[in-house]
Amino acid sequence: MTALTGTTASHVAGAAAGGGSPERPGRERPGGERPKRPLRVGRAIVWAVVTAVVVAAFWGVDISWDALLQLPQKLTHYLGLMFLPPAWDKLPDALSATMLSVAMAWFGTVLGIIVSFPLSLLATRGLTPAVLHWPLRAVFAVLRAVPEVVIAVLMLSVTGLTAYTGALAIAIGSIGTLGKWGYESFESVDRGPIEAATAAGASRVRIMRWGVWPSAKPDVLAFWLYRFEINVRASAILGLIGAGGIGKMLVDNIQFRVWDVVGMLMLVVVVVTMVIDQLSGMVRHRIIAGRWELPVVSALRRRASRVTS
């Protein structure tokens, strides 16, 4: 102990006499030189590439600085036209169009669930052979890569500009996302029930039913509800290309510059979307936590507990 203390003291004293900071014994190089900091060439190259891409994108969008400086003034002007006051007399029509958008989203979500659920089971690694689950995963990837708007445009020549077109586009887009979420949830379950069902001689169908589904059920149901929320927003966007619903009413009034109606429509879309989000969150909380509770109530309760603690 005395020898170690003496060595450390002499090392610190020598470093102080030399005007430098003390170094750990054994880290010095011959001649008293410090080790050089390693060069991170890969990190420097990555940052240089990212910087170049950002600069190229910045110049590629051809920003009009004059219009950008006038944006706050124009935004204030149009917000006044839309909300001071909005056209409340159009509220019944707006609610009817919004309900059509919600119906499109609901139909598309249910149809997507019906198609994607069995396919996601077949795409689960460990439950089906690779020759089956890899092609299904490729199909899911392709469907996720195509936006719902593009799907609807491709279907216009067959189904026409109707709400049915929007619902089918939402369903096809949902299959890719729900399929991926499904097989990822099935693959992340506890392997114990699966091994027990296999040891008992259960068939693949029974293994999926009793070994996989009970553990994955909360996550899968929550994903289905979350996808419905996404589809409600997608249905409003699909209305912009003539698929019906609140989106079509919105784009028609924007084209004719009826700003007070546009403001009222935006209020309806925001309120309905928030209500659906809260109701869906309440159902998800019931599935996962076992009790009914609105997300906003949960957030307020957590905040109150942090303040009191």
Side-chain angles (χ1 to χ4, degrees):
M1 181 70 182
T2 305
L4 290 175
T5 306
T7 303
T8 305
S10 63
H11 178 71
V12 174
S21 58
E23 296 182 358
R24 295 180 181 179
R27 295 292 299 276
E28 298 176 351
R29 289 189 175 185
E33 296 181 359
R34 290 171 174 263
K36 293 183 179 181
R37 188 174 183 176
L39 297 177
R40 295 182 172 87
V41 181
R43 181 180 299 180
I45 293 175
V46 170
W47 278 110
V49 171
V50 170
T51 304
V53 171
V54 171
V55 172
F58 182 83
W59 291 108
V61 295
D62 192 18
I63 298 176
S64 176
W65 294 106
D66 295 335
L68 190 62
L69 293 175
Q70 297 174 3
L71 180 61
Q73 179 182 356
K74 291 184 177 181
L75 184 61
T76 303
H77 171 69
Y78 284 108
L79 287 177
L81 293 177
M82 288 190 293
F83 300 111
L84 297 177
W88 294 113
D89 58 318
K90 297 292 184 180
L91 182 59
D93 296 335
L95 291 176
S96 177
T98 303
M99 291 302 102
L100 178 58
S101 296
V102 174
M104 290 167 50
W106 179 255
F107 178 83
T109 304
V110 172
L111 186 58
I113 290 171
I114 293 173
V115 176
S116 66
F117 179 68
L119 294 181
S120 61
L121 283 171
L122 296 176
T124 303
R125 186 185 294 110
L127 296 178
T128 57
V131 70
L132 181 60
H133 65 247
W134 282 117
L136 287 174
R137 294 185 180 209
V139 171
F140 292 152
V142 171
L143 293 179
R144 291 196 309 274
V146 183
E148 287 86 354
V149 175
V150 177
I151 297 174
V153 171
L154 294 176
M155 296 176 60
L156 288 179
S157 59
V158 179
T159 58
L161 286 173
T162 62
Y164 180 62
T165 302
L168 287 180
I170 289 174
I172 295 174
S174 300
I175 291 173
T177 305
L178 293 175
K180 177 179 173 60
W181 287 345
Y183 70 72
E184 287 182 347
S185 299
F186 298 146
E187 290 178 353
S188 62
V189 299
D190 184 16
R191 303 295 299 179
I194 300 176
E195 294 175 355
T198 304
S203 62
R204 290 185 180 272
V205 175
R206 293 184 178 274
I207 291 174
M208 294 177 184
R209 172 62 183 89
W210 302 108
V212 177
W213 175 243
S215 300
K217 179 181 177 180
D219 291 337
V220 173
L221 293 179
F223 287 147
W224 289 353
L225 291 171
Y226 180 59
R227 183 64 202 189
F228 172 64
E229 297 175 23
I230 296 175
N231 289 340
V232 171
R233 299 173 180 87
S235 65
I237 297 174
L238 289 173
L240 300 178
I241 63 171
I246 192 67
K248 186 178 187 302
M249 190 176 179
L250 184 62
V251 73
D252 289 343
N253 285 277
I254 289 176
Q255 289 176 349
F256 290 102
R257 303 294 191 269
V258 189
W259 297 114
D260 55 345
V261 178
V262 172
M264 187 271 305
L265 292 174
M266 292 183 64
L267 288 175
V268 170
V269 169
V270 171
V271 171
V272 171
T273 303
M274 291 178 63
V275 170
I276 292 175
D277 179 74
Q278 291 297 311
L279 294 177
S280 177
M282 182 175 64
V283 177
R284 287 201 308 270
H285 193 274
R286 174 65 176 83
I287 294 172
I288 296 174
R291 63 180 185 275
W292 298 98
E293 189 171 356
L294 289 171
V296 63
V297 175
S298 301
L300 292 175
R301 185 173 298 175
R302 288 194 299 269
R303 184 175 181 180
S305 62
R306 286 198 298 267
V307 171
T308 55
S309 61

